[in-house]
Amino acid sequence: GAGVSQTPSNKVTEKGKYVELRCDPISGHTALYWYRQSLGQGPEFLIYFQGTGAADDSGLPNDRFFAVRPEGSVSTLKIQRTERGDSAVYLCASSLVLAGELFFGEGSRLTVL
Amino acid sequence: AQRVTQPEKLLSVFKGAPVELKCNYSYSGSPELFWYVQYSRQRLQLLLRHISRESIKGFTADLNKGETSFHLKKPFAQEEDSAMYYCALSANRDDKIIFGKGTRLHILP
């Protein structure tokens, strides 16, 4: 079956603009995670959902970042007033259960000019 | 707070030689530990987790609670093992999974 799908694969934007990144998890996976990966670093935890609710959003760096999963499937990561430091690859992963095997998407590469 | 440390950014090993990728963690409880791997141009994927006690592609990892380590080992390296390896930890079954910074394994011919 289809794996985790992330769109767009690449996004170039200007400082101060608003950006949305979408994640389509594997069907039936209740847990969904967002990570950010900068060059030479490991995946940095941002937020995870169990169903529709954000179980832990402690990794969101500030209030410019927000994520939703309104129907317990597709999730959107929203970044307001983007800054150059937001440039990174944003990874989404889904799992059948919490702390189970994570299935990753290919990531959305965000470049803020 | 939980932390995962991978002290080596790059490890170069000759084909056929033993491999050991180090991972240390800080957490006072009983964590769940994982190794994830990313091959060139592929997605990040699970290699193994300590609760399954499996050997995957010849790799094994033993949880040492006394030393708070979960080193990844393979007795004889193969060229196809060249990849980025990430150690990861979950404090418990209901918690987030955090990753180390990764080690690039380069197998020399």
Side-chain angles (χ1 to χ4, degrees), chain A residues 52-70:
Chain A
T52 60
D56 186 336
D57 65 356
S58 61
L60 295 177
N62 51 59
D63 61 5
R64 295 186 298 105
F65 288 75
F66 189 71
V68 295
R69 195 186 185 199

Side-chain angles (χ1 to χ4, degrees), chain A residues 2-6 23-26 29 33-37 42-45 89-95 100-107, chain B residues 34-38 42-46 86 88 97-99:
Chain A
V4 176
S5 175
Q6 291 189 245
C23 173
D24 267 285
I26 292 172
H29 281 196
Y33 300 74
W34 282 100
Y35 290 87
R36 177 169 71 175
Q37 188 169 26
E44 173 195 3
F45 170 78
V89 174
Y90 289 80
L91 295 170
C92 176
S94 69
S95 177
E101 177 178 357
L102 295 182
F103 291 84
F104 280 87
E106 293 187 325
Chain B
F34 312 82
W35 277 99
Y36 279 80
V37 61
Q38 188 166 26
Q42 293 188 28
R43 305 178 184 206
L44 198 55
Q45 60 187 286
L46 179 68
Y86 296 95
I97 297 175
I98 62 169
F99 287 77

Side-chain angles (χ1 to χ4, degrees), chain B residues 1-7 21-35 50 61-71 87-92 98-100:
Chain B
Q2 305 97 317
R3 182 178 295 174
V4 176
T5 302
Q6 293 181 252
L21 297 168
K22 291 184 168 51
C23 172
N24 289 89
Y25 65 90
S26 61
Y27 178 61
S28 56
S30 294
E32 297 212 25
L33 284 146
F34 312 82
W35 277 99
H50 88 275
D62 289 318
L63 177 59
N64 185 324
K65 291 186 179 181
E67 295 183 358
T68 59
S69 69
F70 188 57
H71 303 327
C87 183
L89 171 153
S90 175
N92 58 58
I98 62 169
F99 287 77

Side-chain angles (χ1 to χ4, degrees), chain B residues 6 21 35-37 47 59 72 81 83-86 102-103 105:
Chain B
Q6 293 181 252
L21 297 168
W35 277 99
Y36 279 80
V37 61
L47 179 62
F59 284 97
L72 184 68
D81 296 330
M84 279 295 298
Y85 291 80
Y86 296 95
T103 298
L105 178 62

